[in-house]
Amino acid sequence: MKIVDVKTHVMGTAWRNLTFVRVITDEGLEGVGEVRMLNHTDALLGYLAEAVPNHVLGHDPRHIEDLVQRMYRNDYARAGEIAMSAIATIEIACWDIVGKALGRPVYELLGGPVRERIKAYANGWYTVERTPEEFHRAARRVVEYGYRALKLDPFGSGFYELEPAEKRKAVALVEAVRDAVGPDVELLIEMHGRFNPATAVEMARELAPFRPSWIEEPVPPENLAALKKVAEQVTIPVATGERLHTRYDFRPLFELQAADIIQPDITHCGGILEIRKLAAWAECYYLLVAPHNVGGPVSTAAALHLAAVIPNFKIQEHFNDLNEEWVKQAAPGNPAVVDGYFSLPKGPGLGVTLDEAFVAAHPRQRIFFNLFAENWHLRQAVQPPLPGSGASSAEQPPSPTAS
C-alpha cells in the first residue's frame, strides 16, 4: 500500500480555522487527520506543500514510525509548532488507514483499552457577559448537558499582573461557578500563561477555597524554572504542556518536576504514537496526562483513542458540545458525553467520517484569535478583509494538494 495523494480542507468558524488532512492510498483506503492552528493556518499549509512530496508520497502508511522519523529528521531544521502539527495530521490519518485496513479501532492497535469510559471536561462554555450571574447560569447549563467537570479562565485580558478590582472579579467568577455546579463537579482553572510567578501564586491561593483540580499554565511556557517556583508555593496541582511541541521540550519539565499534570496536544506534538511515548515517560514521574484538545471531531476522535490506552490518563478536554456544536457534523461518529464520560469510540480506524461537502459549506475565515484582547472569551475572532484585497473574510484560498 502506498500514499498517492494528500488533500487539505479548511473549515472556518467564529474563532477557529480547522484544517482537515486526507491521506489517500493506491488501494482506495484513506484516512483523515486534523489540527486547529492558532493564527498560523497558512504556515501549516505551506509546510505541507513542501513536506508531502518530499516525505509522504509513495510511503507505506502502515510504516508510521518510519514516516514520522523521515519528516522530523530529514529536513534538518529543528521541528516546532508548525512541523509537529503537520506531522501529527499525517500520522493521525495513517492510524486511521491502518485501523480501517484491519477492521479494528485504533486503540486496539496501541495495546488495547485500559478503561471503558473516558472522563471529559467542557471548555468554551462561558461565551457570556463577564459577570458572576452570567457565569453562574452558563455553568449550570454545562452540568445540565451532562458534564461533571469544566474549565474556565476568569482573568480577562490580564498579563503578568492584575489590578485589585480584576483580582476580586476573577475570584467572584470562580465562586459563582463553584456555587452553580456544587461540590462534586471538577473545576479547572485556566491561566493561559498570563502571570509572573508572584501573581500566579497569589491567585492560586485566593482560589484555593473553591477546590480547583488544577491551575493551568500559570506562567508563560518558555521558563520552566519559573513554573517550578509556582509549583513549590501552591497546594493546587499544576498543569501545563499545550505549548510544548516535542518530547525534548518536556524533558526539563519532567526533570524539574515542575508540574503534576501534562497537557500535550496530539495535533501539535507529532500525533498519537508520540504522545503514547510521552505518557509512558511521564508515568515514571507519577504524572497524569490530560491532553489538550481545542479541535473539531477528528482531533477529538484521536484524543479518545489515545485516552483509552494510557494508564495515567486523567481527563479529556472538549469544546464542541457547548461551543459551536455544529462543528461535530464535519466528521460524525464520536460517542456523546453521558454523565461526564465518553464511551470508547466505535468502528474501524478513528471511527469518524469526514463530510467534505459540510466542510466546504463553511469556508475558511480570516481569524485573529487574541487571548490577551478584551472579551476574548466571547470567541468572536473573524476579521474584516484586508484593505484592497477584494476578498471577503470568508473566502478560502486554494489549499495545497499533492495530486
Side-chain angles (χ1 to χ4, degrees):
M1 191 190 304
K2 301 296 181 185
I3 298 170
V4 296
D5 203 357
V6 173
K7 294 184 180 295
T8 58
H9 307 262
V10 182
M11 185 173 78
T13 84
W15 60 282
R16 297 179 285 182
N17 281 317
L18 305 176
T19 303
F20 299 98
V21 178
R22 293 165 54 218
V23 173
I24 301 165
T25 71
D26 59 354
E27 295 188 9
L29 282 175
E30 66 176 73
V32 63
E34 182 207 342
V35 64
R36 188 293 306 255
M37 300 301 295
L38 181 54
N39 306 323
H40 290 160
T41 299
D42 278 336
L44 174 83
L45 299 177
Y47 173 88
L48 286 171
E50 293 190 84
V52 166
N54 289 344
H55 305 301
V56 181
L57 295 184
H59 196 88
D60 189 328
R62 296 166 295 190
H63 298 172
I64 295 172
E65 185 73 73
D66 182 51
L67 177 56
V68 168
Q69 289 298 316
R70 287 168 182 257
M71 296 181 75
Y72 186 88
R73 303 283 181 196
N74 290 2
D75 282 339
Y76 189 67
R78 291 182 65 180
E81 176 198 7
I82 307 303
M84 294 304 286
S85 299
I87 290 170
T89 64
I90 301 295
E91 195 260 11
I92 291 167
C94 286
W95 281 111
D96 194 23
I97 290 170
V98 175
K100 289 174 179 175
L102 297 173
R104 310 305 303 171
V106 168
Y107 63 77
E108 289 193 2
L109 311 180
L110 300 170
V114 296
R115 58 184 50 83
E116 295 300 319
R117 300 190 303 165
I118 297 163
K119 191 171 185 180
Y121 71 87
N123 200 351
W125 53 270
Y126 51 102
T127 54
V128 296
E129 185 181 356
R130 199 164 158 260
T131 65
E133 296 77 16
E134 289 298 318
F135 271 51
H136 189 284
R137 278 191 282 270
R140 284 299 309 158
R141 289 194 290 269
V142 177
V143 175
E144 290 163 3
Y145 194 98
Y147 281 86
R148 298 296 174 261
L150 73 171
K151 185 168 78 177
L152 75 154
D153 177 342
F155 304 108
S157 58
F159 181 62
Y160 277 3
E161 296 184 306
L162 292 174
E163 295 293 332
E166 273 298 313
K167 292 176 184 178
R168 293 193 297 272
K169 186 170 188 175
V171 172
L173 292 173
V174 175
E175 182 179 22
V177 171
R178 172 55 77 194
D179 180 71
V181 302
D184 297 326
V185 170
E186 281 203 76
L187 182 57
L188 312 169
I189 301 299
E190 168 72 88
M191 292 185 169
H192 278 131
R194 296 187 180 281
F195 300 128
N196 59 24
T199 304
V201 170
E202 179 187 5
M203 294 313 303
R205 290 173 177 171
E206 290 289 328
L207 297 176
F210 309 112
R211 302 181 310 285
S213 294
W214 73 49
I215 55 170
E216 179 173 334
E217 215 180 30
V219 296
E222 294 87 359
N223 183 344
L224 295 176
L227 182 67
K228 179 177 175 63
K229 185 177 180 180
V230 173
E232 290 174 338
Q233 298 183 66
V234 300
T235 58
I236 303 168
V238 172
T240 196
E242 72 178 75
R243 289 192 278 176
L244 305 180
H245 302 302
T246 72
R247 72 186 80 158
Y248 308 102
D249 294 337
F250 279 89
R251 180 184 59 79
L253 179 69
F254 292 167
E255 292 175 350
L256 288 168
Q257 300 195 46
D260 305 285
I261 300 143
I262 62 167
Q263 299 172 292
D265 190 312
I266 299 167
T267 67
H268 289 314
C269 205
I272 292 171
L273 190 56
E274 187 67 13
I275 307 304
R276 182 79 170 89
K277 297 174 185 177
L278 191 64
W281 189 13
E283 199 171 3
C284 298
Y285 293 89
Y286 312 122
L287 297 176
L288 299 177
V289 182
H292 179 258
N293 172 39
V294 71
V298 177
S299 171
T300 299
L304 294 180
H305 284 273
L306 183 65
V309 303
I310 295 177
N312 51 333
F313 168 81
K314 176 176 173 59
I315 196 168
Q316 182 57 57
E317 182 172 25
H318 192 226
F319 272 83
N320 304 318
D321 281 330
L322 291 129
N323 186 281
E324 299 182 331
E325 190 169 8
W326 61 268
V327 163
K328 294 187 288 187
Q329 298 176 59
N334 282 322
V337 173
V338 177
D339 197 23
Y341 290 81
F342 288 101
S343 59
L344 294 183
K346 304 294 184 184
L350 293 175
V352 295
T353 302
L354 186 67
D355 186 334
E356 296 170 45
F358 185 86
V359 173
H362 298 84
R364 178 182 173 180
Q365 302 289 320
R366 183 169 172 258
I367 298 288
F368 176 46
F369 185 47
N370 179 5
L371 287 149
F372 299 95
E374 290 293 330
N375 292 319
W376 66 267
H377 70 284
L378 299 177
R379 299 184 184 269
Q380 298 294 317
V382 176
Q383 304 297 304
L386 292 171
S389 68
S392 75
S393 61
E395 283 186 328
Q396 181 172 323
S399 294
T401 179
S403 296

